[in-house]
Amino acid sequence: WRDWSSDVCSSDLASVGAVASSTVAAHSFATEVKVDGGSASEYGASEKAALAASFADGASVALEDVSISVVDLPEGGGVEIVATVAVLSEAAAATASAAIAEQLATPDAASALLSTSSSMRVSVDPAVPSSVGAVETTAATQHAFTTSVRVDGGSAAEYGATERSALAAAFAAGADVALDAVSVAVVDRADGGGITIVASVSAATASAAATAAALVEEQLPTPEAALAFFTSPKIGRAHV
């Protein structure tokens, strides 16, 4: 992790764009994995972000294409991790589905996949095979806005899936939305002085998106406020 406690730009700090609406078609599939031990309450934003990063790497898709939910098993004794992968191409969805199925073929392989981006060891239940659902196509209207934040120093190459998942968790917490409603990109600044973090936040309704945009804008008025926003205790250590 990079410690960027003095890196947030004081000029042109952040911009929060207007809410825009669009209709998109998505091709998605769901994966269910049963895990021995633990409870859903142990999986907060950072743990779900790490699982999303593991699935994104395993499926060779963007981090924002993956959403994660964790539920307690009705019989107790563990949790079920449900990962939904949604992409714009049906062929890409089929390829991602095959890649995930291959990496969940055995309990050991599944445990390795889920532990890739997480500091916690995930042990898949050897008695219950993981399942990868069929690809389904849906259309939905999305209401989204984009936030850009300039950071001094560093390069986009330093921000892999794990770092971007932590940034997404910070935006999700700050906007009071689900983690899978946020996508994050990091690009090198044209002036060579650092990077720009670009976060897109989507919601089911225009009013919910507007509320989230107002919350984010409220928390980014100064470099100090932006630093606190990105190093929220909700995502752990103050280093990104």
Side-chain angles (χ1 to χ4, degrees):
W1 300 89
R2 284 193 350 98
D3 180 357
W4 57 309
S5 57
S6 61
D7 291 348
V8 181
C9 284
S10 58
S11 61
D12 300 324
L13 171 64
S15 63
V16 179
V19 173
S21 301
S22 61
T23 301
V24 296
H27 306 277
S28 64
F29 64 92
T31 299
E32 298 177 355
V33 184
K34 291 193 175 181
V35 174
D36 281 334
S39 67
S41 62
E42 297 175 40
Y43 292 79
S46 55
E47 288 76 20
K48 290 178 183 176
L51 289 171
S54 294
F55 273 99
D57 287 343
S60 295
V61 299
L63 181 64
E64 58 265 25
D65 294 335
V66 182
S67 61
I68 296 286
S69 63
V70 181
V71 296
D72 290 311
L73 295 174
E75 67 272 21
V79 301
E80 183 173 65
I81 297 170
V82 182
T84 301
V85 178
V87 292
L88 297 181
S89 159
E90 188 172 8
T95 300
S97 173
I100 289 295
E102 189 175 325
Q103 294 172 78
L104 297 177
T106 68
D108 286 345
S111 297
L113 172 66
L114 298 184
S115 302
T116 300
S117 299
S118 176
S119 58
M120 59 190 294
R121 175 67 181 170
V122 179
S123 298
V124 172
D125 187 343
V128 183
S130 303
S131 66
V132 180
V135 174
E136 299 181 351
T137 303
T138 57
T141 300
Q142 285 188 335
H143 308 276
F145 65 92
T146 300
T147 300
S148 299
V149 181
R150 287 161 52 92
V151 175
D152 282 334
S155 69
E158 298 175 44
Y159 292 78
T162 302
E163 288 77 19
R164 284 183 281 114
S165 68
L167 290 171
F171 270 99
D176 197 21
V177 299
L179 181 63
D180 56 11
V182 182
S183 63
V184 170
V186 180
V187 295
D188 290 312
R189 279 166 36 194
D191 61 11
I195 59 164
T196 299
I197 298 168
V198 182
S200 295
V201 180
S202 61
T205 66
S207 61
T211 299
L215 282 172
V216 170
E217 193 165 22
E218 245 176 52
Q219 296 172 77
L220 298 175
T222 65
E224 293 76 19
L227 175 61
F229 178 81
F230 284 120
T231 57
S232 165
K234 294 178 183 178
I235 63 167
R237 185 165 173 75
H239 294 270
V240 290

